[in-house]
Amino acid sequence: LASASTLMGALANWVSPYEDHEKAVAAALGERLQYLLVSDTNVALACIRYLKKEDLGRTGFASIPTEAPVPQEALPTQPGVIGYLADKVGAQAEYQLLFDSLLSSYILIENLDTLASIDRSKLPSQSILVTLDGEIYESTGCIIGGVENSSSLGMLQRRRQLKVLEDELEDMEIS
């Protein structure tokens, strides 16, 4: 099976959205935040074969794409349109391409009122709208919303809180 250096943990450990964009990123990535980051597709395939052979269940894997996503079209200026969600997420340089690919079709908007009033015909085709509160509108007409009770948001919040605590501890050690 894969060595520890080729299995790098859950995607949630490698993404750093701005605090006020955590709900949108959690909604957009959903269960993919729990996927295991692997060094390449062959590692993912080996892991899946092992899971099947040992009847150990099912999980998702993400590997760093070898090609950049299609360049994003310029967004027309419309009230409530914030920008592409991929531009609101930080990641270590070696993983940025992965998150750019995963989030390239998501456009961040302010809220449900924006969703109701926006001229979607002026947006890139196949774009997915996501509000700051995590509601999603797909070009298929499907809308997802309500109260978020999943662990996706919690994973991002805990990671950010841990980083804040680590920074405070480091500051205390320096003083």
Side-chain angles (χ1 to χ4, degrees), residues 80-91:
V81 175
I82 298 169
Y84 283 102
L85 187 57
D87 296 337
K88 310 299 180 190
V89 172

Side-chain angles (χ1 to χ4, degrees), residues 19-160:
E19 185 175 349
D20 54 341
H21 300 140
E22 284 176 343
K23 288 181 182 179
V25 171
L29 292 176
E31 74 175 31
R32 290 180 287 181
L33 285 168
Q34 298 176 40
Y35 286 8
L36 295 175
L37 180 60
V38 294
S39 56
D40 60 58
T41 303
N42 290 329
V43 173
L45 296 175
C47 289
I48 290 169
R49 287 184 187 105
Y50 179 78
L51 290 172
K52 288 173 74 172
K53 177 182 163 208
E54 300 296 325
D55 195 24
L56 293 174
R58 181 178 179 97
T59 194
F61 297 89
S63 60
I64 299 164
T66 56
E67 297 179 21
V70 175
Q72 299 168 327
E73 298 176 36
L75 293 176
T77 303
Q78 293 190 57
V81 175
I82 298 169
Y84 283 102
L85 187 57
D87 296 337
K88 310 299 180 190
V89 172
Q92 291 180 9
E94 62 265 34
Y95 307 121
Q96 190 65 52
L97 183 59
L98 171 62
F99 290 103
D100 288 349
S101 296
L102 290 171
L103 297 170
S104 64
S105 60
Y106 288 88
I107 297 172
L108 185 61
I109 63 174
E110 288 181 1
N111 52 40
L112 289 175
D113 293 335
T114 303
L115 178 57
S117 65
I118 196 171
D119 184 353
R120 292 186 288 280
S121 69
K122 292 183 180 178
L123 298 175
S125 63
Q126 304 303 311
S127 57
I128 301 168
L129 303 177
V130 60
T131 68
L132 290 169
D133 282 338
E135 291 93 9
I136 294 179
Y137 173 85
E138 299 175 354
S139 59
T140 60
C142 295
I143 302 174
I144 303 165
V147 178
E148 180 64 50
N149 290 324
S150 79
S151 62
S152 299
L153 177 58
M155 292 173 72
L156 292 177
Q157 288 174 332
R158 280 189 299 280
R159 183 171 184 279
R160 178 181 41 80

Side-chain angles (χ1 to χ4, degrees), residues 1-30:
L1 194 59
S3 70
S5 63
T6 57
L7 284 172
M8 296 168 268
L11 281 185
N13 295 332
W14 302 102
V15 62
S16 300
Y18 302 124
E19 185 175 349
D20 54 341
H21 300 140
E22 284 176 343
K23 288 181 182 179
V25 171
L29 292 176

